[in-house]
Amino acid sequence: MSDIHGIIVVILLLNIVIGLVRILRGPESADRMLAAEMFATSAVAIILILAVTMPSPALLDVALVFALLSALAVVTFVSRAWSALAAPANDDSDGEEDDR
């Protein structure tokens, strides 16, 4: 591993530590999800750097799986957040219909 790769890995690890602070402090669940996405992106970048420095093609597959899982996590979060936002609107409209 060359010096520049080591420096980049250390910066990415510091990025993960800062993201951990964001996850612990919040304040919103969307902020926490963005920090988790930053974890995944940093992990993929670190694995890709390791794949470049080490002759192991399996690391590229691991990075691809992490990237796909990260995208799946975002889709799941957005669909749950979307349904949570839509649910109170449906409850209000049902309540208004009962009052009439």
Side-chain angles (χ1 to χ4, degrees), residues 30-46:
D31 298 327
R32 291 184 173 105
M33 186 65 206
L34 285 175
E37 282 300 309
M38 187 176 67
F39 281 5
T41 304
S42 298
V44 169
I46 290 171

Side-chain angles (χ1 to χ4, degrees), residues 20-72:
L20 183 62
V21 171
R22 174 53 61 193
I23 285 179
L24 293 175
R25 297 182 83 185
E28 299 289 329
S29 60
D31 298 327
R32 291 184 173 105
M33 186 65 206
L34 285 175
E37 282 300 309
M38 187 176 67
F39 281 5
T41 304
S42 298
V44 169
I46 290 171
I47 291 171
L48 288 175
I49 289 171
L50 289 175
V52 168
T53 58
M54 297 169 49
S56 178
L59 289 175
L60 295 175
D61 294 335
V62 171
L64 179 63
V65 168
F66 276 179
L68 290 174
L69 287 175
S70 173
L72 185 64

Side-chain angles (χ1 to χ4, degrees), residues 91-100:
D91 290 340
D92 291 338
S93 65
D94 290 337
E96 290 176 4
E97 291 176 5
D98 291 338
D99 292 339
R100 292 183 185 171

